[in-house]
Amino acid sequence: MSWDVLIMKFSRPYQSMAEIPQEEPSLPLGSRASVHERVLGQFPGANWTDPAWGIWTGPSGSIEFSIGNNDPAATMMLHVRASSEVVAMIVRLCISHGWQAIDCTSSEFLERSNDPTRGLALWKAYRDQVVGGNEP
């Protein structure tokens, strides 16, 4: 079970999902190698042994980065099992590369949200209700 964040790139930054025209195609994030480098820049030590699936583990928890087998990488799904400290790292990653992070819990762009940790908090509350525990 994880909090999921979808990272995409568009022709311009959007404030909300509702603002995206239906005909707007997403743009590639970059080559798989460049996506690996960009993730490593924000999440040092991320393991890309599997070029389609990176794993980062730090003091605040872990994130799995799924970019698939296509090159260039079209999107990236983050499976987050960590404390709210990683949210700022995700936001910095996106802002520095012109990407947008869609919180799959709240359907908001993390980098545009007044409270980017809200979706993670909602997911943690749901997880704790369903399975119990006090994981990150």
Side-chain angles (χ1 to χ4, degrees):
M1 199 172 205
S2 63
W3 175 55
D4 297 330
V5 176
L6 176 62
I7 296 181
M8 299 179 76
K9 183 173 183 171
F10 299 102
S11 62
R12 67 177 187 85
Y14 289 102
Q15 295 297 317
S16 71
M17 296 287 292
E19 193 179 300
I20 303 171
Q22 193 169 22
E23 64 278 356
E24 170 82 17
S26 65
L27 303 173
L29 299 177
S31 69
R32 283 180 15 171
S34 72
V35 171
H36 294 175
E37 288 176 28
R38 291 170 178 178
V39 168
L40 283 163
Q42 190 60 55
F43 295 91
N47 181 333
W48 287 101
T49 302
D50 178 346
W53 192 268
I55 300 172
W56 174 82
T57 302
S60 56
S62 68
I63 301 176
E64 296 173 5
F65 301 88
S66 175
I67 62 172
N69 291 314
N70 295 332
D71 198 356
T75 62
M76 179 166 47
M77 182 64 81
L78 279 58
H79 306 283
V80 180
R81 295 171 192 87
S83 68
S84 60
E85 295 170 11
V86 300
V87 176
M89 298 166 71
I90 295 168
V91 168
R92 281 193 299 271
L93 175 68
C94 290
I95 289 173
S96 64
H97 300 295
W99 300 341
Q100 293 205 259
I102 302 166
D103 177 339
C104 294
T105 300
S106 69
S107 298
E108 295 179 346
F109 288 120
L110 291 182
E111 70 283 353
R112 302 285 186 223
S113 174
N114 291 329
D115 182 6
T117 63
R118 182 173 151 265
L120 177 58
L122 291 170
W123 171 78
K124 283 182 176 184
Y126 172 75
R127 176 205 61 197
D128 292 346
Q129 178 185 358
V130 172
V131 298
N134 292 324
E135 296 178 28

